[in-house]
Amino acid sequence: MSSPSFFEGNSLAARDAKSLIHSYTNLSQHEKEGPLIIEKGKGIHVYDDSGKEYIEGLAGLWCTSFGFGEQELINAAIEQMQKLPYYHSFASKSTEPSIRLAEKLLEIAPVKFSKAFFVNSGSEANDTVVKLVWYYNNALGRPKKKKIIARMKGYHGVTVAAASMTGLPPLHNDFDLPIQGILHTSCPHFYRYGKDGENEEEFASRMADDLEQLILSEGPDTVAAFIAEPIMGAGGVIVPPVTYFAKIQAVLKKYDILMIADEVICGFGRTGPMWGSQTFDIQPDILSCAKALSSAYLPIAAVMVSEDIFRGMVSQSEKHGAFAHGYTYSGHPVPAAVAMRTMELMEERNILEHVQHVSHRFLDRFAALADHPLVGEVRSCGLIGAVELVADKKTKRSFDPKFKAGHLAYLAMQEEGVISRAVAGDNMALCPPLIITESEIDEMFDRFTRGLDTVASMASKENWRDG
Ligand SMILES: Cc1ncc(COP(=O)(O)O)c(C=O)c1O
């Protein structure tokens, strides 16, 4: 890590602070403290520029499913670079890698989709989804049916429509978002929002009622779609009640509202099955995916749509002369080739079986943290989970934000050699590469727990619990 004098001389850290803007970073703190520079990676580990080794407990940003240094993916990129380093998909141009990948995605999709469209990031995927929903409803002659309902604490990215759908205030504050026509319904987090005496089933029914009330108050003929991550990631790793999505989808059906599954984190084995939609029995009309699609080795993301939606797009393109949407890099052959190889490796190496097997250890180690003095709730599914740090286990009172419990836990864990992340407050998340072994899971949790212990003793010494 950078020392307090990092900005002296011409070190990489100093050059970073002078030249780079960092995402999701306190920029004034960064000016003072500088970056952690990651130099290389191998398997589930990364190494900083002083040679210190870390377990990448968040698979980067919930994405490097095959960890670091997977030669097969590197080879796929090199081979495609040599053959055709770029081509596009505008005006009926195509490339073999993008065709093969589209076919593969349609083959493994959780429901029958008609077509896949490629973009470069999860945010672009979700912005595309919004435009497609509007375009489709115009094709159907329903110009009023345009509103999109997302959820508080949901995360869908940072571009204008995606950030609007995200239900986290820092993405809206002073960015003049959300845009009009994007609404947010209740967050299905039972631990935080369940009422006294209410069980999880009743809570799930109340969530569906809240959604229905919102639809009715807006007017069902103005609501086009509902978007949800199967498990909310950046919102704190919120695993919904078992019957939540069944109840939500019944409401959507009643009012002819499209279901959009944001599988950007949950897709490609994260929750055990290939898709979070399978884990939670979601029947999406549109699906966005990214991240583990290429194990994040190169940027690529996709949107899949139903035949009905595709037909709407066809009629619009006839009317206007073209489907006027797409990116210079949509279906770029190099990331598409890497993504295709990623999909093949998932099959060749039985990654889904592996996740289903090792996730027992992951879940057990998470469950054991429920007794930790800092932990209010443990949430996990497949190979994703989080602990929520609280000041008072009984009343669920959170720590006063001035103590920065989550941030300090993140630093303490980093010191111990595991990279976690404090998300949506004091929720410490783990989402390791899918290739992690049981013994590596043990090592990751040992380091994670030592980080929690350090913060627990700080909390006691500095009387954080007194408020
Ligand atoms: C569920 C979800 N959707 C969308 C996004 C946005 O993806 P990107 O950062 O690639 O734009 C993310 C990013 O973490 C995500 O977790």
Side-chain angles (χ1 to χ4, degrees):
M1 258 203 104
S2 307
S3 72
S5 59
F6 81 93
F7 45 82
E8 286 166 15
N10 200 27
S11 67
L12 260 188
R15 286 160 55 199
D16 171 285
K18 283 181 198 145
S19 58
L20 250 180
I21 298 174
H22 286 266
S23 312
Y24 287 101
T25 297
N26 179 323
L27 297 178
S28 93
Q29 199 172 322
H30 185 82
E31 280 188 318
K32 293 181 210 111
E33 294 174 11
L36 170 67
I37 296 174
I38 301 297
E39 199 168 77
K40 58 184 184 183
K42 188 82 199 143
I44 64 158
H45 297 102
V46 291
Y47 301 82
D48 71 17
D49 56 352
S50 72
K52 182 173 160 71
E53 170 246 77
Y54 306 84
I55 293 176
E56 213 342 320
L58 214 77
L61 289 173
W62 335 77
C63 53
T64 51
S65 47
F66 280 89
F68 298 84
E70 173 50 63
Q71 197 58 44
E72 291 286 337
L73 300 182
I74 298 165
N75 291 346
I78 294 171
E79 281 162 26
Q80 186 56 44
M81 273 275 185
Q82 284 165 340
K83 199 168 170 192
L84 182 70
Y86 170 73
Y87 217 74
H88 61 83
S89 57
F90 282 33
S92 293
K93 301 291 189 303
S94 200
T95 60
E96 186 184 342
S98 59
I99 297 167
R100 290 183 64 212
L101 185 62
E103 286 173 347
K104 189 73 196 168
L105 284 176
L106 295 172
E107 176 197 319
I108 64 174
V111 298
K112 191 166 168 36
F113 284 117
S114 171
K115 301 285 182 294
F117 179 75
F118 292 115
V119 298
N120 310 292
S121 68
S123 299
E124 283 181 12
N126 288 328
D127 257 54
T128 294
V129 163
V130 170
K131 288 179 71 179
L132 293 185
V133 166
W134 292 341
Y135 202 57
Y136 171 63
N137 274 312
N138 285 331
L140 295 184
R142 307 195 297 197
K144 270 173 51 196
K145 202 166 171 71
K146 295 289 168 55
K147 291 176 193 162
I148 296 182
I149 300 183
R151 300 173 304 166
M152 287 179 245
K153 295 208 181 185
Y155 188 88
H156 303 292
V158 296
T159 45
V160 170
S164 295
M165 294 191 293
T166 294
L168 297 166
L171 278 87
H172 298 162
N173 296 340
D174 283 338
F175 283 114
D176 294 2
L177 296 174
I179 53 172
Q180 263 194 352
I182 307 278
L183 310 162
H184 294 91
T185 187
S186 317
C187 169
H189 186 192
F190 180 60
Y191 173 76
R192 277 283 158 221
Y193 307 117
K195 289 186 176 160
D196 281 349
E198 191 177 48
N199 65 30
E200 251 188 280
E201 277 296 301
E202 291 159 348
F203 173 71
S205 301
R206 182 159 61 81
M207 295 295 96
D209 284 349
D210 283 357
L211 175 66
E212 184 158 18
Q213 288 317 311
L214 181 60
I215 293 166
L216 290 173
S217 70
E218 294 290 327
D221 57 340
T222 71
V223 180
F226 171 82
I227 184 166
E229 306 153 78
I231 293 176
M232 288 180 176
V237 186
I238 310 232
V239 183
V242 182
T243 56
Y244 169 78
F245 277 109
K247 290 173 174 164
I248 290 287
Q249 289 177 106
V251 174
L252 301 178
K253 251 208 173 86
K254 190 165 161 192
Y255 298 107
D256 191 16
I257 293 170
L258 299 170
M259 172 75 216
I260 306 163
D262 179 341
E263 292 267 8
V264 169
I265 288 182
C266 294
F268 311 109
R270 178 53 64 190
T271 65
M274 183 64 85
W275 303 97
S277 290
Q278 290 160 332
T279 304
F280 293 96
D281 209 5
I282 301 171
Q283 311 283 316
D285 300 289
I286 307 182
L287 182 151
S288 51
C289 58
K291 296 190 189 271
L293 170 57
S294 62
S295 186
Y297 277 34
L298 284 173
I300 184 163
V303 173
M304 286 189 272
V305 296
S306 67
E307 177 66 9
D308 276 359
I309 293 171
F310 181 67
R311 283 297 134 209
M313 294 165 64
V314 170
S315 80
Q316 288 283 32
S317 80
E318 271 176 351
K319 176 174 159 197
H320 297 290
F323 169 54
H325 178 74
Y327 302 88
T328 300
Y329 305 125
S330 285
H332 190 303
V334 183
V338 171
M340 187 62 208
R341 193 71 195 112
T342 306
M343 296 299 101
E344 288 168 354
L345 285 184
M346 286 200 69
E347 287 170 15
E348 288 167 20
R349 298 188 187 165
N350 297 319
I351 294 295
L352 297 182
E353 287 83 346
H354 171 77
V355 172
Q356 282 155 25
H357 176 69
V358 300
S359 61
H360 291 292
R361 180 69 63 93
F362 185 81
L363 302 183
D364 286 350
R365 291 294 310 251
F366 254 125
L369 287 171
D371 294 331
H372 193 279
L374 280 188
V375 173
E377 191 191 31
V378 171
R379 307 183 279 273
S380 62
C381 174
L383 280 181
I384 182 169
V387 291
E388 180 160 342
L389 311 185
V390 291
D392 186 331
K393 282 169 91 88
K394 240 197 211 122
T395 64
K396 307 180 186 175
R397 179 168 58 89
S398 301
F399 283 110
D400 187 322
K402 75 178 178 203
F403 294 119
K404 299 194 165 123
H407 182 66
L408 292 174
Y410 150 79
L411 291 178
M413 287 168 185
Q414 196 162 279
E415 190 62 30
E416 293 293 341
V418 59
I419 297 181
S420 166
R421 185 130 177 253
V423 286
D426 299 332
N427 301 288
M428 305 311 299
L430 285 174
C431 179
L434 301 182
I435 55 163
I436 195 165
T437 63
E438 284 183 326
S439 61
E440 288 171 335
I441 287 174
D442 281 334
E443 181 58 31
M444 176 174 73
F445 274 95
D446 291 348
R447 296 180 189 190
F448 187 85
T449 309
R450 288 200 294 272
L452 285 180
D453 292 344
T454 303
V455 176
S457 56
M458 285 165 91
S460 300
K461 262 193 227 134
E462 297 168 19
N463 298 321
W464 293 1
R465 290 192 171 81
D466 299 341

